[in-house]
Amino acid sequence: MDFFEKIKSGVNQLKDSKGIPVPITAYMLQEVLKRNEKLQEVAVEITEGEIIVIGKAKADLKVAKKDVSFSITLQPVRMEGREIIFKIAKLKPFNLSILNKRIFDKPPHLTYKSGHITIDFNGWELVRKIPVGKIKSYQIGEGSIVVMVGV
């Protein structure tokens, strides 16, 4: 078997499989959220079917600058390319679109739009190591999200 046949065989095998599993832990997600200068004391918990983020956010409103403690529960809705879109299932103390945008709209990793938060996994070094493919499926379990990247 020459070099090109080995590559072709490997690509076909990858195509036939469900993809390459990439585990994203709660700690990894927490570190990405800490890159957002408006979030402080962030803690992430991944349970069956949802992600819970607890922390404090700097709410830069025109009237005052105040730290707001929050708890947000995200549930997956759909996948697009290398992104997973989550709907905001619960947000405490209040769910205000303008405040959510200021806190959670931090591209390239997180974007907020009309009640949904999108996590772009392509910005993660672990996922970037896989040069081609998109998220074919994901599994949210205790402590991690396992995304399957395939062609």
Side-chain angles (χ1 to χ4, degrees):
M1 190 184 274
D2 71 346
F3 178 71
F4 292 109
E5 286 179 23
K6 285 183 183 178
I7 290 176
K8 186 177 177 183
S9 170
V11 168
N12 286 336
Q13 188 176 12
L14 180 62
K15 201 164 136 181
D16 294 338
S17 73
K18 293 184 181 188
I20 299 170
V22 179
I24 307 292
T25 64
Y27 176 76
M28 292 166 70
L29 195 54
Q30 181 174 313
E31 289 302 308
V32 167
L33 290 172
K34 282 183 179 178
R35 292 179 190 168
N36 180 348
E37 68 278 354
K38 294 190 182 214
L39 298 180
Q40 305 160 351
E41 301 174 28
V42 177
V44 177
E45 181 183 341
I46 300 175
T47 61
E48 288 294 323
E50 60 186 25
I51 299 172
I52 301 167
V53 181
I54 299 169
K56 286 187 178 181
K58 290 182 184 176
D60 295 335
L61 301 172
K62 297 205 188 285
V63 213
K65 292 184 179 187
K66 184 176 176 155
D67 288 350
V68 177
S69 295
F70 70 91
S71 172
I72 185 169
T73 303
L74 304 173
Q75 293 177 333
V77 178
R78 66 181 185 278
M79 301 175 295
E80 289 179 4
R82 289 189 174 199
E83 299 176 338
I84 299 179
I85 296 143
F86 295 88
K87 75 173 180 176
I88 297 176
K90 293 181 207 166
L91 180 60
K92 294 178 185 175
F94 38 81
N95 193 354
L96 290 175
S97 186
I98 192 159
L99 188 61
N100 294 346
K101 185 159 182 68
R102 287 187 180 196
I103 295 171
F104 298 112
D105 192 34
K106 297 296 170 195
H109 302 291
L110 290 174
T111 52
Y112 173 83
K113 188 175 181 182
S114 60
H116 291 79
I117 292 178
T118 302
I119 299 176
D120 184 359
F121 289 98
N122 205 38
W124 300 49
E125 184 66 31
L126 190 60
V127 178
R128 265 197 318 243
K129 289 181 180 179
I130 305 167
V132 293
K134 60 183 181 177
I135 297 175
K136 293 181 96 177
S137 65
Y138 58 89
Q139 179 77 33
I140 298 180
E142 287 298 316
S144 71
I145 304 170
V146 178
V147 293
M148 297 296 280
V149 180
V151 222

